[in-house]
Structure formats: C-alpha cells, structure tokens
Amino acid sequence: QVQLVESGGGLVQAGGSLRLSCAASASGLTFTRCNMGWFRQAPGKEREFVGVISWNYGRTYYADSLKGRFTISRDDAKNTVYLQMNSLKPEDTAVYYCAADPLGPPSRRESPTEYDYWGQGTRVTVSS
C-alpha cells in the first residue's frame, strides 16, 4: 500500500517561511521513478497546481504565480520530497497536498488527474 505523509504545515506570519515534507512509503512505489507534485486547496476553491519535480534529473516546474518564492526538492534516499515556501502571503493559506505520479514522463505534470497517489494534506495558514 502506498502512503504519502505530509508534514511541516502550521501558522506563520506574512513574509515568513515554511518547509513542507512529504514522505512516501517504499512498499508498492518506486519513488525514484515518480514525478512528485505539490498542490494546494484554499477554502471554497479548486485544487491548484503548485509545482512538480521530475523523476529524472530532478527538473522542477512551478505555477507561474509562485516562481521565485517556492522551491521543490527531493531526497530519493529518504523517499521524501520537500516544498520550501518563502515570503509567504495570506493568499498562500491552504491545505497543501503532495502527490505521486509513478508512470508519467518527466515533464510538467500540472493536472491532478495525472497523479495516482495523494497524501492527506497539511494545513498552512499565513496571517497578515
């Protein structure tokens, strides 16, 4: 059974930083072959693409509105992907989800339907 577990969410003031982690269980998932994406969902809004890191060469792709503030990295030895968020704004408040795409090509994978496995989410609240 594949499990993705996010952590690192919380309450932060505007302008602050947070680093989210997503740990993947090894059983049933070849982590090194997965594109790992981050999405977020604010109250009353649809889930939106944050970014993705590809399984080969660790190429990253981001939502245009987040470039320069958010950075995704991965540690394949730990089956973990990270989302570093800097200069946080109140509009970044959302539940953040990581997702695994074990079959897709190493490319910009921004549709939620391209991912097979999802974590439970971690809540980020940015106060003004």
Side-chain angles (χ1 to χ4, degrees):
Q1 184 175 354
V2 176
Q3 280 191 317
L4 303 178
V5 180
E6 301 99 334
S7 60
L11 175 64
V12 63
Q13 288 188 331
S17 298
L18 279 177
R19 188 175 82 152
L20 307 183
S21 300
C22 171
S25 63
S27 176
L29 189 72
T30 304
F31 185 82
T32 54
R33 182 48 185 84
C34 289
N35 297 309
M36 296 299 296
W38 284 95
F39 291 78
R40 68 185 185 182
Q41 188 165 17
K45 295 188 176 181
E46 293 187 353
R47 191 166 299 191
E48 68 170 341
F49 172 73
V50 171
V52 59
I53 185 165
S54 71
W55 56 266
N56 73 332
Y57 304 115
R59 292 192 177 101
T60 52
Y61 307 86
Y62 300 96
D64 289 342
S65 61
L66 301 177
K67 280 181 183 176
R69 294 196 299 123
F70 288 16
T71 303
I72 298 174
S73 60
R74 64 190 296 161
D75 185 339
D76 287 345
K78 296 181 178 180
N79 285 359
T80 300
V81 63
Y82 304 96
L83 176 65
Q84 177 68 42
M85 305 185 293
N86 298 327
S87 301
L88 284 162
K89 305 174 181 180
E91 51 264 42
D92 294 319
T93 294
V95 177
Y96 284 72
Y97 300 90
C98 72
D101 163 31
L103 300 174
S107 61
R108 186 183 183 95
R109 310 283 281 173
E110 58 181 279
S111 171
T113 61
E114 294 174 313
Y115 294 81
D116 292 337
Y117 304 104
W118 291 83
Q120 82 289 349
T122 185
R123 186 174 301 276
V124 172
T125 303
V126 184
S127 64
S128 57

